[in-house]
Amino acid sequence: MSVAEVVVDVPTMQTNRPFEYEIPEQLADVVVPGMRVEVSFGRGKRKIQGFVMKIKDTSNFSGKLKPIDRVIDLRPVLTPEMLDLSYWLADQTYSFQISCLQTMLPSVMRAKYKQFVEAVPEFVDDAEVKSLLGDGESLEITSQMTDETIQLINRLRRQNKIEINYVVENQARQLKRQAVTTNLNPIQLREKRNSLRSNAKAQLKLVNYLIDNVDHLPIEMSELENDQDIGRSAIKTAEKNGILEIIEVTKRRKPVGITPEKTTKLALTDEQQQAVDQIVTAIDQSNPETFLIEGVTGSGKTEVYLQSIEQALNQGRSALMLVPEISLTPQMVNRVTGRFGNKVAVLHSGLSSGERYDEWTRIENGSVKVVVGARSAVFAPLKNIGLIIIDEEHEASYKQDDNPRYHARDVALWRAKQHKCPVVLGSATPSLESRARAQKGVYHLIYMKKRVNDHPLPHVQIIDMRDAENSAAKGDISPLLQDNLYRAVKRGEQAIVLLNRRGYSSFMMCRECGFTLKCPNCDVSLTYHKDLSKMKCHYCGHEEPVPTVCPNCKSKKIGFYGTGTQNIERQLNELLPQARVLRMDVDTTRRKGAHAKIIKAFGDHKADILLGTQMIAKGLDFPDVTLVGVINADTTLSISDYRASERTFQLLTQVSGRAGRADKEGHVIIQTFNPDHYAIKDAAVQDYETFYKQEMYLRHQSNYTPYYFTTLVSVAHKDEGQALKQSYWLKRQLQAALSDHSILLGPSPTMISRKQNKYYYQIIVKYKNEPQLHQKLLDILNDTQADTKKGFTIAIDNEPQHID
Ligand code: ADP
Ligand code: ZN
Ligand code: ZN
């Protein structure tokens, strides 16, 4: 008899281990590890999906094993390496193994279920069961159910009167999609619009959308629903009225925005050569060493990556390259695809699930040698990897915000050990963690201090916005920035204007002296809680009243900082009517491919000024950009997070690096209310090392990363009292397990303390060496599954990227 160990798709602590199933005769040659199967689980007819982890000859189980019902895949979807990785990942991130396995798969293969409520046979005639099911035998659980119905279901289930069965949805369904198109031309559409009643709001919105997007049809229905908030019923009505047609699209969307840029192999500078030599040696020696390239913006890191990849390919090996977000780094992707052609697969969010599946297959069967992608591409099923690159390694997006909360860097290091290949981390502004590891010799540090061709670093000017002369009479653009924008545009050059909007508009700042209100215990900014009318610290829970005058200078000009891009766009148009402004923010980039379009338009000189949020700070390389303006350097500085200075320094350095990359000299203007802050001053001269030393000193003083490890444990419950009570229970549990050397902060409410009707509290553990902590956290997770802790969810985040 053959037995399969299967990890089932039931995300609970009790089921977080493999279960044994018999492999029936007829499937004996079919089932292999890494394949998904359908099995019955628990009592009744509950059918669920599972992953085959292992196959063996005998079972330790004394009873009769259930058989595998059917196989979902004909070939394994996960390699043995990925199966191994899932054990490690689940342990590291305190996640269910099933979540880890699913995270590694392309989305099209993730399980989709319908859930049905059915009566347990003895209770078919039970009055309450009948009231729930009505005449039907089963009832599908949907998100539309009322709370009362859900409560009834939960109660009946506790009484074992009903059971919930899962049915795996037909996976082929996802390959066909419903989409909307129209045979009408814009003139006819306008006529239709004019004939609509003025209170037919949804219809008006839909028709307007069609008019605006006539060139982009057909558009998938899900996109209309999700991105445009246009409901299915409105679409159906419009169909009836002959405005549009609903069609099935099987045609896969073409990858958006990638235009391979052919570049020839460049003669390397000395610094580049030295970097390539070290990396290539590690590739040749199959040495799983980690390199950190600390290279100023414009030092030519891309060419180092490309030539190192080439060497891996020459050795018959493959290469994996991670970038923060494909749509924000199109130039990097274009260069890689340009150099290596169809050996490259690009995994990006613009791919439909079908395309993702195709790319995944090409990687898995070895026709692809180079994979470029964002965070989840770290699971690409490449074989014989010779090199892994993580560009802009400091980016927070490499950490997943949801379960499993993994960091792509950690996964990359794990894979590098398996494949015996080096990892290259690159950044102009490495994360403090990585830089500190390089300091200790854990990583191998490579400096690239010179810009290619000795282009000078841009000239940076810090504008003190506290000064009346600088602060614009009305608006946010100082006379000096305005003047420089005017002159750049007049010379036919281009400018980038950054509105620093990361973080929240909910911190308080004095416009007279730049003072922000800080926590006396934690040295982070207090956050304004509108619901309580209080200033609160998210670390320790300290709170105080909202001040009415500046505690520092007694000015009344204190306010909650925050300016929108649209507002700045309007100001730019008023001040510089001759300049063409392109705005790039969440509103203008909703559409798939919109990023790439805006970037291309700017590259083609269709605009003089590119105005945007954080998304314009990264990786853009435009030869004609000579001026960069930063409207408000302070917002990232004031977020209530100990990484605030680090994020500010990174952002300012990155955006400054956009100026003067070609032959023309660059100029950067940074407007700030904190001109003396070290993060701003060091960024102005692109002096990472000085910043690093100062920041390390402060982290040391206040016991933060990288001197201490940080684990964030958060607790959620529908009832605020319960959430608070459980978080104190949690704190006591931790307290008992930790030594005196560790620091426990909280419980304190999170930034948005109520999300989706749940209250969130968090506890921060800072520690240096706590061998017991890992097991204790696993135990706590286990305990939270007990009946007494029903409805109580807990999330554990190791080394959080944000604390909010
Ligand atoms: P960064 O280090 O900021 O990522 P890039 O890799 O974008 O810098 O390089 C900056 C510019 O220098 C690019 O336009 C690139 O084509 C050019 N460049 C890089 N290496 C060389 C070289 N060896 N010779 C000539 N130009 C180079
Ligand atoms: Zn505090
Ligand atoms: Zn003040």
Side-chain angles (χ1 to χ4, degrees):
M1 182 178 74
S2 285
V3 176
E5 285 190 1
V6 177
V7 171
V8 293
D9 189 7
V10 184
T12 67
M13 280 313 273
Q14 289 84 353
T15 52
N16 192 26
R17 61 176 176 89
F19 288 85
E20 293 183 339
Y21 285 89
E22 187 195 325
I23 303 176
E25 202 85 354
Q26 71 274 18
L27 291 179
D29 296 334
V30 179
V31 177
V32 291
M35 203 175 255
R36 291 169 315 156
V37 292
E38 199 175 292
V39 294
S40 31
F41 189 76
R43 290 176 349 109
K45 298 180 285 256
R46 187 174 178 189
K47 290 268 189 285
I48 55 170
Q49 203 177 82
F51 286 81
V52 177
M53 302 299 290
K54 261 191 210 131
I55 292 182
K56 49 190 194 180
D57 293 333
T58 53
S59 163
N60 307 324
F61 186 65
S62 53
K64 173 147 174 53
L65 291 180
K66 287 184 189 163
I68 287 176
D69 287 314
R70 68 176 188 101
V71 291
I72 294 173
D73 309 304
L74 289 174
R75 292 189 319 148
V77 292
L78 290 177
T79 59
E81 184 197 1
M82 290 300 128
L83 296 179
D84 271 355
L85 177 57
S86 72
Y87 291 97
W88 177 82
L89 197 60
D91 184 63
Q92 287 293 301
T93 60
Y94 305 94
S95 315
F96 302 122
Q97 197 168 1
I98 188 70
S99 324
C100 295
L101 292 163
Q102 283 170 346
T103 296
M104 296 172 181
L105 280 186
S107 59
V108 71
M109 294 177 182
R110 285 178 205 158
K112 280 267 186 297
Y113 295 122
K114 288 188 170 184
Q115 298 182 43
F116 291 94
V117 178
E118 282 174 32
V120 169
E122 304 92 281
F123 293 98
V124 174
D125 295 315
D126 180 273
E128 275 190 323
V129 172
K130 274 194 154 168
S131 77
L132 177 68
L133 295 181
D135 293 333
E137 269 178 23
S138 66
L139 175 71
E140 186 180 346
I141 299 184
T142 66
S143 51
Q144 274 91 43
M145 281 183 160
T146 64
D147 277 352
E148 285 89 300
T149 312
I150 302 276
Q151 275 159 12
L152 180 60
I153 290 173
N154 278 331
R155 189 157 50 78
L156 292 174
R157 189 160 69 140
R158 271 200 306 276
Q159 296 167 350
N160 287 324
K161 290 182 177 172
I162 57 166
E163 55 189 26
I164 295 172
N165 294 319
Y166 295 62
V167 177
V168 179
E169 260 185 59
N170 178 7
Q171 72 214 91
R173 192 187 58 86
Q174 292 171 326
L175 296 176
K176 287 226 161 147
R177 290 150 172 269
Q178 286 198 306
V180 163
T181 189
T182 180
N183 285 329
L184 305 182
N185 64 35
I187 298 167
Q188 294 166 316
L189 282 171
R190 279 196 196 94
E191 280 167 9
K192 285 276 184 195
R193 181 179 63 191
N194 296 342
S195 68
L196 288 168
R197 289 193 322 273
S198 64
N199 60 356
K201 293 253 164 57
Q203 290 298 305
L204 283 169
K205 183 172 179 187
L206 178 53
V207 177
N208 280 330
Y209 183 83
L210 291 175
I211 292 171
D212 289 346
N213 291 282
V214 109
D215 295 339
H216 303 293
L217 299 175
I219 176 162
E220 285 181 17
M221 209 116 127
S222 57
E223 202 164 318
L224 280 178
E225 288 175 326
N226 299 337
D227 299 350
Q228 303 302 327
D229 207 16
I230 295 173
R232 209 157 264 262
S233 63
I235 297 171
K236 286 264 153 73
T237 311
E239 187 191 25
K240 259 189 234 131
N241 295 335
I243 293 172
L244 54 78
E245 272 136 60
I246 299 177
I247 55 169
E248 295 241 290
V249 282
T250 42
K251 202 184 74 173
R252 289 166 181 169
R253 224 181 327 205
K254 277 212 338 241
V256 275
I258 294 172
T259 25
E261 181 184 331
K262 277 256 174 285
T263 54
T264 42
K265 195 168 160 179
L266 298 170
L268 298 178
T269 64
D270 286 351
E271 281 187 335
Q272 285 175 322
Q273 188 67 54
Q274 280 175 19
V276 171
D277 286 348
Q278 296 184 61
I279 297 164
V280 162
T281 305
I283 297 172
D284 291 348
Q285 297 176 347
S286 293
N287 183 359
E289 198 175 351
T290 305
F291 295 95
L292 174 63
I293 301 184
E294 180 186 324
V296 294
T297 54
S299 59
K301 294 187 284 294
T302 312
E303 191 63 25
V304 171
Y305 301 152
L306 293 175
Q307 297 203 14
S308 304
I309 291 174
E310 188 183 340
Q311 178 64 16
L313 301 189
N314 289 343
Q315 297 271 4
R317 299 172 78 177
S318 60
L320 174 60
M321 176 166 183
L322 301 183
V323 294
E325 210 181 310
I326 297 276
S327 55
L328 301 184
T329 47
Q331 287 173 323
M332 172 69 80
V333 176
N334 293 344
R335 281 171 197 173
V336 180
T337 46
R339 187 75 56 96
F340 301 107
N342 55 12
K343 287 190 202 128
V344 184
V346 180
L347 299 177
H348 61 89
S349 57
L351 296 178
S352 68
S353 347
E355 285 162 343
R356 255 180 183 266
Y357 177 70
D358 289 350
E359 291 299 78
W360 188 89
T361 319
R362 285 176 65 218
I363 300 166
E364 202 261 344
N365 68 23
S367 34
V368 160
K369 295 291 175 209
V370 182
V371 170
V372 185
R375 182 180 62 228
S376 63
V378 77
F379 300 115
L382 277 170
K383 294 186 185 113
N384 195 11
I385 301 175
L387 175 65
I388 303 178
I389 295 166
I390 303 185
D391 190 34
E392 310 283 4
E393 70 90 31
H394 60 276
E395 280 290 325
S397 64
Y398 285 124
K399 176 84 182 277
Q400 177 151 298
D401 274 341
D402 254 322
N403 271 327
R405 294 182 162 80
Y406 70 92
H407 198 298
R409 192 201 295 130
D410 299 332
V411 176
L413 294 180
W414 187 94
R415 292 195 76 184
K417 261 195 226 145
Q418 311 292 310
H419 291 264
K420 303 197 167 47
C421 74
V423 174
V424 174
L425 310 173
S427 176
T429 56
S431 63
L432 273 245
E433 289 96 313
S434 292
R435 180 62 184 79
R437 260 171 234 161
Q439 191 74 34
K440 283 195 183 159
V442 181
Y443 298 165
H444 188 97
L445 187 58
I446 300 177
Y447 286 116
M448 289 175 56
K449 294 184 175 174
K450 288 205 208 102
R451 281 192 151 188
V452 174
N453 298 337
D454 287 319
H455 292 148
L457 286 171
H459 167 69
V460 181
Q461 239 176 319
I462 297 176
I463 309 287
D464 184 351
M465 295 299 278
R466 298 170 306 184
D467 195 327
E469 273 178 36
N470 293 331
S471 77
K474 48 177 172 54
D476 305 272
I477 299 162
S478 64
L480 192 104
L481 178 55
Q482 180 190 344
D483 184 47
N484 277 278
L485 283 168
Y486 175 81
R487 283 189 289 154
V489 172
K490 199 159 176 207
R491 283 196 303 267
E493 296 164 0
Q494 291 181 295
I496 287 179
V497 174
L498 173 84
L499 182 73
N500 183 5
R501 232 176 39 165
R502 164 67 161 290
Y504 321 99
S505 58
S506 53
F507 69 93
M508 186 230 83
M509 191 175 74
C510 173
R511 278 174 177 264
E512 205 77 48
C513 75
F515 178 85
T516 57
L517 199 57
K518 296 220 153 147
C519 174
N521 311 321
C522 307
D523 202 31
V524 294
S525 298
L526 295 180
T527 307
Y528 174 50
H529 276 238
K530 206 170 172 188
D531 44 348
L532 306 166
S533 252
K534 288 243 165 70
M535 304 299 296
K536 274 203 157 193
C537 171
H538 289 134
Y539 282 71
C540 69
H542 168 87
E543 60 176 49
E544 50 187 87
V546 183
T548 49
V549 296
C550 172
N552 185 43
C553 74
K554 305 288 176 266
S555 158
K556 282 191 179 144
K557 279 170 103 180
I558 58 168
F560 298 95
Y561 211 69
T563 317
T565 28
Q566 279 178 353
N567 186 2
I568 301 288
E569 184 183 26
R570 206 199 60 236
Q571 294 179 34
L572 283 171
N573 286 334
E574 267 168 28
L575 296 171
L576 304 157
Q578 72 285 19
R580 296 161 302 166
V581 180
L582 255 181
R583 178 161 62 89
M584 184 152 144
D585 57 21
V586 281
D587 296 323
T588 61
T589 54
R590 276 223 176 93
R591 229 173 190 297
K592 292 237 163 78
H595 284 111
K597 249 190 219 157
I598 294 177
I599 288 168
K600 179 158 190 313
F602 191 60
D604 292 346
H605 271 259
K606 300 235 167 76
D608 307 298
I609 300 175
L610 178 63
L611 162 70
T613 50
Q614 266 69 349
M615 55 177 83
I616 61 169
K618 286 172 208 143
L620 302 181
D621 187 14
F622 296 114
D624 288 333
V625 171
T626 53
L627 177 66
V628 166
V630 179
I631 299 288
N632 51 344
D634 311 274
T635 33
T636 33
L637 214 48
S638 306
I639 54 175
S640 55
D641 190 320
Y642 67 86
R643 287 184 215 265
S645 300
E646 188 182 352
R647 297 271 181 248
T648 306
F649 177 83
Q650 286 164 351
L651 178 66
L652 295 180
T653 309
Q654 297 286 339
V655 74
S656 303
R658 303 305 120 219
R661 292 172 73 84
D663 300 329
K664 298 170 196 134
E665 208 191 319
H667 186 188
V668 179
I669 295 175
I670 297 176
Q671 299 187 164
T672 174
F673 289 93
N674 294 281
D676 299 321
H677 195 286
Y678 65 100
I680 292 175
K681 281 164 88 175
D682 294 342
V685 287
Q686 302 228 356
D687 187 351
Y688 175 79
E689 287 294 307
T690 302
F691 170 78
Y692 166 70
K693 285 187 190 108
Q694 172 72 10
E695 182 67 10
M696 284 296 272
Y697 170 76
L698 292 173
R699 298 277 179 97
H700 184 63
Q701 292 288 304
S702 45
N703 304 329
Y704 285 129
T705 310
Y707 290 97
Y708 274 70
F709 297 112
T710 313
T711 298
L712 182 74
V713 190
S714 64
V715 167
H717 197 281
K718 271 196 164 169
D719 178 84
E720 187 166 21
Q722 276 298 319
L724 195 58
K725 190 174 146 211
Q726 296 300 355
S727 56
Y728 277 106
W729 167 81
L730 186 71
K731 184 168 186 177
R732 284 194 302 276
Q733 297 283 308
L734 288 168
Q735 229 150 17
L738 292 173
S739 72
D740 299 343
H741 305 294
S742 295
I743 301 163
L744 260 180
L745 299 175
S748 63
T750 57
M751 168 68 200
I752 307 163
S753 58
R754 207 176 110 183
K755 279 180 272 188
Q756 292 169 334
N757 279 326
K758 278 192 171 180
Y759 289 86
Y760 286 80
Y761 280 85
Q762 63 191 17
I763 292 171
I764 295 167
V765 190
K766 298 198 283 185
Y767 64 99
K768 283 198 161 165
N769 184 22
E770 289 287 356
Q772 314 293 331
L773 179 62
H774 187 68
Q775 188 55 47
K776 184 69 197 173
L777 286 169
L778 290 173
D779 292 346
I780 288 173
L781 267 183
N782 237 325
D783 287 350
T784 58
Q785 302 269 320
D787 270 355
T788 51
K789 302 237 171 343
K790 271 276 150 62
F792 160 62
T793 50
I794 181 171
I796 301 174
D797 191 356
N798 251 336
E799 300 307 313
Q801 288 294 309
H802 313 281
I803 293 184
D804 53 18

